[in-house]
Amino acid sequence: MKLKSLIAAACMGALGTGALAADGKVKVGMITTLSGGGAGLGIDVRDGFLLAAKLAGNDNLEIVVEDDQRKPEIAVQLADKMIQSEKVDVLTGIIWSNLAMAVVPAATAQGKFYLSPNAGPSALAGKGCHPNYFNVAWQNDNLHEAAGGYANSAGFKKSFILAPNYPAGQDALTGYKRLYQGELAGEIYTKLGQKDYASEIAQIRASDADSIFFFLPGGMGISFLKQLSDSGLDLPVVGPAFSFDQGILQAVGDAAMGVKNTSQWNKDIDNAANKTFVGAFEAEYGRLPSLYASQGYDTANLLISAMAKADVSDADAFRAALMEADFASTRGDFKFAANHHPVQTIYVREVIKEGDVYTNKIIGTALEDHANVYVDDCKM
């Protein structure tokens, strides 16, 4: 399987034609964000997924890639086309939780498998769970819960917290508050895609906050961190990896130095699978991998592991093979909770500089073998 030709074909919309639901063949529809705001996240998920496919060399795997432009209506149209016309067996790729909520329930209701390499809204982890839905990244609350736990150990007593007003943002603040034991100096939901944070920074300055927690993925986080640094407001900041990931740090620069953030992955996790991934990704693409790239890579390897054990046309057997998660994850040991979300260790990272490159290093563990609070609400 040629990676460069895969990407070229994906940019034209498809890789081949026809349904591949028998004889061990699997056709995957990847709907992700490849243009506009947040494109870097989708590109990294795509590149990690395609790298795993290349390294596996599995000729039974066919991949169709499309750009959702971060628009729910486009994502729905693409999913319909992939299911009805492309006859895909498995869907994957969505970055944003509002898009996942628009696509996943309808796809799984039609008997398709959905493997999430990123978005993990609480609505799909609890009462809205489905046997054909597996999240390979996290449940949305997880990294924020870990940040709340870290804030306690750091001695923060009055955090000011903010996130965009969409499902992942709501899950973020819920997650932080679940484990954070201090008081709140303030709580704000911003607009999704917002770039000007002068008003929010003024409110933080006027409060008696001793710390800031924020979840602002992609360009939102870049804008906030730069404006916070320019404001001269000197408060410790903690957040999830999404605002301190590899692709974002270069744009943020010195404003991110020393910031603590939480993640289930980092390039310095010491296992053979992660070393292979980091080296192969840098060699293939000429850049360090991000959290999102690792999730795309693990998602592809989960799928490939299931293909080795069952035919996708036998839904029960294929589902059982996915649940076994018999693959070498970049995170080390990997297993699913009963609601098909990971049980995993979440680390505390610190933003550092290696030469001219801003990156992260692991400095501790925030939560060990952590699942999610919605497991008991999931009845499958």
Side-chain angles (χ1 to χ4, degrees), residues 285-320:
Y285 300 111
R287 66 185 192 274
L288 288 173
S290 70
L291 175 73
Y292 304 100
S294 77
Q295 291 162 189
Y297 185 85
D298 276 356
T299 300
N301 280 323
L302 168 69
L303 174 61
I304 292 164
S305 74
M307 291 171 62
K309 295 190 173 189
D311 195 298
V312 72
S313 62
D314 184 344
D316 290 339
F318 200 77
R319 190 180 303 115

Side-chain angles (χ1 to χ4, degrees), residues 359-372:
T359 189
N360 286 281
K361 69 174 181 180
I362 293 174
I363 60 169
T365 298
L367 298 171
E368 196 163 352
D369 293 330
H370 186 64
N372 61 87

Side-chain angles (χ1 to χ4, degrees), residues 176-293:
Y176 185 81
K177 291 185 289 185
R178 182 173 293 122
L179 294 188
Y180 174 61
Q181 296 170 354
E183 300 177 38
L184 293 182
E187 180 176 358
I188 296 176
Y189 282 107
T190 66
K191 292 181 180 178
L192 186 62
Q194 182 173 322
K195 295 297 175 65
D196 184 354
Y197 294 94
S199 174
E200 288 78 8
I201 292 170
Q203 291 180 63
I204 296 170
R205 187 187 299 278
S207 74
D208 56 353
D210 67 358
S211 54
I212 300 168
F213 167 78
F214 77 94
F215 164 63
L216 294 165
M220 293 178 283
I222 295 170
S223 297
F224 178 76
L225 276 172
K226 284 188 169 182
Q227 291 166 37
L228 182 66
S229 178
D230 291 343
S231 76
L233 183 59
D234 187 18
L235 288 174
V237 174
V238 63
F242 317 118
S243 294
F244 303 94
D245 205 50
Q246 199 60 52
I248 291 172
L249 287 177
Q250 312 319 305
V252 176
D254 285 343
M257 284 291 290
V259 171
K260 310 300 191 296
N261 61 95
T262 50
S263 177
Q264 88 284 11
W265 176 86
N266 201 52
K267 66 182 177 64
D268 57 354
I269 291 178
D270 188 12
N271 67 62
N274 197 42
K275 289 177 180 177
T276 296
F277 162 64
V278 172
F281 191 94
E282 195 168 9
E284 187 69 43
Y285 300 111
R287 66 185 192 274
L288 288 173
S290 70
L291 175 73
Y292 304 100

Side-chain angles (χ1 to χ4, degrees), residues 11 17 31 57 60 62 102 104 117 121 123 142 149 152 164 168 207-208 215 218 230 240 249 271 281 297 323 345:
C11 292
T17 58
I31 300 168
N60 285 332
E62 185 176 0
V104 173
N142 287 166
N152 298 330
S207 74
D208 56 353
F215 164 63
D230 291 343
L249 287 177
N271 67 62
F281 191 94
Y297 185 85
M323 190 64 183
T345 296

